Amino acid sequence: MAEVKMWWDVKNKRLKHTAPPPPPPVTWRPEGEEDPAASLAAARPEFGEHGGVNLSIENSITFTVMEAETMSKMFEGELGPEQDFFIYSRHFNPTVMALGRQMAALEGTEAAYCTSSGMAAISSVLLQLVSSGGHIVASRTLYGGTHALLSHFLPRVCNITTSFVDVKDHAKVRDAMVKDKTKVLYFETVANPTLTVANIPELSRMAHEKGVTVVVDNTFSPMIISPTRLGADVVVHSCSKFISGRADIIAGAVCGSKKLVNSMMDLHQGTLMLLGPTMNAKVASELSQRVPHLALRMKEHSHRALVFAQRMKNLGLKVIYPGLKDHPDHHLLSSIANKDYGYGGVLCIDMGTEERANRLMNLLQNHTHFGLLAVSLGYFETLMSCSGSSTSSEMNVEEKELAGISPGLIRMSVGYVGTLEQKWSQLEKALLKMNI
C-alpha cells in the first residue's frame, strides 16, 4: 500500500496531499462478492491527509493550481477529479467523492454522487433523464414528497407527466409504458409506507424491453436488497435514514453508471452541476464513518422488527411486515434479498382509525416510553407516525385509498436501544392499555 504523505507531482507541477491514486475502486462483482459488506470492504481505502485512519475533511470551496494554464485545461475537461484536479466544491469535492465511492460499492454501481437531500437526488435524476414533454411511469405507493414532485411540480414546471400504477400488476405497468415516450419507470424497493415489495427483476426486464430506464428508491432496504444486481439502472437514497442512523443529517445519493453521473455533472446540461444540490464536506465525512457499520445496524433493526411483528400478530393485531410468512410478498423478498440482513427495520400496524392509532402512539411515547412520535426512520430509537396524516399527507383521500394507506396505519421504524425484552415489555403494556 502506498505511503501517505505530501508529495510533489512533477508532471503537473502541483503539490498533492495524499499518496498517488491507488487502483480504481472495486465495483460489484456478480460472481464474486455478492454481500454488500464484502463489496464495501474491498473498495478503495481512503486515508487522512497525514495518514489518519479517518478521511480528511476538505472544506475548501475552491482549489489552487500551480500554473494558470492548468485551470483552462480543467475547465475544458482535460484534467479533472480522477487526476486529483479540483475546481470548485459545487462541482466535485474530494471528501464527498470518497463517500460517493462508498455508496457505489454499497449498491454495486460504477459511480455515485452524494447530494444535499434524498429529494435532491430524486429530482435531479428525473430531470436529467426526462425532458420537457416526457413521461414517467411510477408506483402509486410512494413517499408523499416524491408523489407531490411527480403529480404536481413536474407537470407544472417541466411539462413532464406521470402515470401512477400498481407495480404489483405487471400487465398495467407494461401497458402504461409507451415506447419512445416513457423515459423512466420509478418505484421504491419496499414501498413507503405499505411495505409492498417490488419485483425488481421482472419490472426491469419489462422496462428495458421498451427502452425505459429503471430508477429505484432503496431508502427502506440498504444492505438488504441490491437493485442494480437485480436489473435496475439507478438507485437513489435518502441517506438521512438508515445510512445516517442518527437522525442528525439530511443527505441523499444517486448510484448508477459513470455515464449517468458524468452527464449530471456536465457544465452545460447537468442537473447536479447547474441546480447545485451540493453535499457539505463535513456531512460527507460524518456519513463515511457510519457506512462501515451499516450492516450491523441493519441486522439488528431487522431482527427486532421481526420479533415484534411476530409477537404482535400473535396478540391479534393487524401487522404488516414482509418478514411474516403470511405477508403477500414474503417469498418474493426472500428470493431477491441479500443473505443475513433480514426483512427490514420498518413495520406497520393498522389500527383502523386515526383516533385509535394516535391513542396507541401516545401511550407508547408518553406512558411506556417505547418510542418517539416522530417522522423519518432508521434512528436508533423507535420512531412512530400515522402515515396518512403525516408523511403521506400530500396525497388526497382517493390516492391514499388506491395506495392502500389506511387512516389508522402506523409506520414504526424499530430501533435497537435497550434490550429486546425491555422494549417488548414497554410495547406490550401499551397494547394492554388499549385492551388488545
Side-chain angles (χ1 to χ4, degrees), residues 217-228:
D217 184 338
N218 202 31
T219 298
F220 271 47
S221 47
M223 309 297 299
I224 297 168
I225 299 175
S226 301
T228 57

Side-chain angles (χ1 to χ4, degrees), residues 333-367:
L333 182 52
S334 298
S335 69
I336 64 174
N338 296 313
K339 294 180 180 179
D340 301 325
Y341 294 102
Y343 296 89
V346 181
L347 60 83
C348 292
I349 311 166
D350 193 344
M351 299 301 293
T353 66
E354 185 178 349
E355 181 183 9
R356 280 174 55 79
N358 288 340
R359 184 181 168 211
L360 176 58
M361 290 189 294
N362 280 323
L363 288 168
L364 288 169
Q365 174 178 272
N366 302 319
H367 294 274

Side-chain angles (χ1 to χ4, degrees), residues 36 60 81 83 135 143 168 201 203 219 287 324 371 390 394 398 409:
S60 297
Q83 295 88 30
H135 179 244
Y143 164 59
K168 305 296 293 180
L203 291 168
T219 298
L287 288 175
L324 297 175
S390 60
E394 294 92 337
E398 181 182 0
L409 190 72

Side-chain angles (χ1 to χ4, degrees), residues 33-67:
E33 292 152 347
E34 295 189 353
D35 188 318
S39 185
L40 276 168
R44 165 180 167 173
E46 300 290 345
F47 301 103
E49 182 176 354
H50 302 289
V53 295
N54 288 322
L55 176 70
S56 292
I57 302 173
E58 180 51 82
N59 60 3
S60 297
I61 64 164
T62 191
F63 301 84
T64 60
V65 294
M66 298 307 297
E67 296 178 345

Side-chain angles (χ1 to χ4, degrees), residues 230-423:
L230 300 169
D233 301 298
V234 185
V235 177
V236 292
H237 275 281
S238 170
C239 299
S240 318
K241 312 303 190 296
F242 286 108
I243 290 169
S244 165
R246 280 178 19 193
D248 60 342
I249 282 175
I250 296 290
V254 178
C255 307
S257 66
K258 287 183 180 179
K259 181 180 178 181
L260 172 68
V261 172
N262 288 338
S263 73
M264 296 178 77
M265 292 307 300
D266 183 81
L267 290 170
H268 303 285
Q269 297 287 342
T271 52
L272 291 173
M273 182 64 190
L274 299 176
L275 298 180
T278 307
M279 176 179 280
N280 184 281
K282 294 175 183 177
V283 169
S285 175
E286 280 273 350
L287 288 175
S288 74
Q289 295 177 50
R290 302 182 193 185
V291 171
H293 51 72
L294 176 62
L296 299 175
R297 293 187 280 114
M298 291 308 301
K299 289 178 181 181
E300 188 61 17
H301 281 299
S302 294
H303 171 62
R304 293 200 180 195
L306 178 59
V307 171
F308 292 162
Q310 289 172 332
R311 292 182 182 182
M312 285 191 287
K313 182 175 179 293
N314 291 340
L315 291 176
L317 272 78
K318 185 177 180 181
V319 184
I320 302 165
Y321 183 67
L324 297 175
K325 291 183 179 179
D326 62 353
H327 187 283
D329 299 326
H330 175 76
H331 294 295
L332 171 61
L333 182 52
S334 298
S335 69
I336 64 174
N338 296 313
K339 294 180 180 179
D340 301 325
Y341 294 102
Y343 296 89
V346 181
L347 60 83
C348 292
I349 311 166
D350 193 344
M351 299 301 293
T353 66
E354 185 178 349
E355 181 183 9
R356 280 174 55 79
N358 288 340
R359 184 181 168 211
L360 176 58
M361 290 189 294
N362 280 323
L363 288 168
L364 288 169
Q365 174 178 272
N366 302 319
H367 294 274
T368 69
H369 311 297
F370 171 75
L372 304 175
L373 263 165
V375 298
S376 198
L377 50 121
Y379 190 42
F380 49 77
E381 292 275 6
T382 295
L383 302 179
M384 307 167 291
S385 59
C386 188
S387 294
S389 56
S390 60
T391 54
S392 297
S393 60
E394 294 92 337
M395 302 168 73
N396 61 38
V397 174
E398 181 182 0
E399 288 168 338
K400 282 185 274 196
E401 287 179 356
L402 288 170
I405 302 172
S406 158
L409 190 72
I410 297 174
R411 189 188 73 184
M412 185 179 290
S413 172
V414 179
Y416 50 77
V417 296
T419 69
L420 188 152
E421 294 304 331
Q422 173 192 24
K423 303 310 289 185

Side-chain angles (χ1 to χ4, degrees), residues 1 14 18 62 82 94 107 118-119 212 225 235 241 333 348 357:
M1 188 172 293
R14 189 167 185 264
T18 60
T62 191
E82 291 186 357
E107 286 296 352
M119 285 305 300
V212 174
I225 299 175
V235 177
K241 312 303 190 296
L333 182 52
C348 292

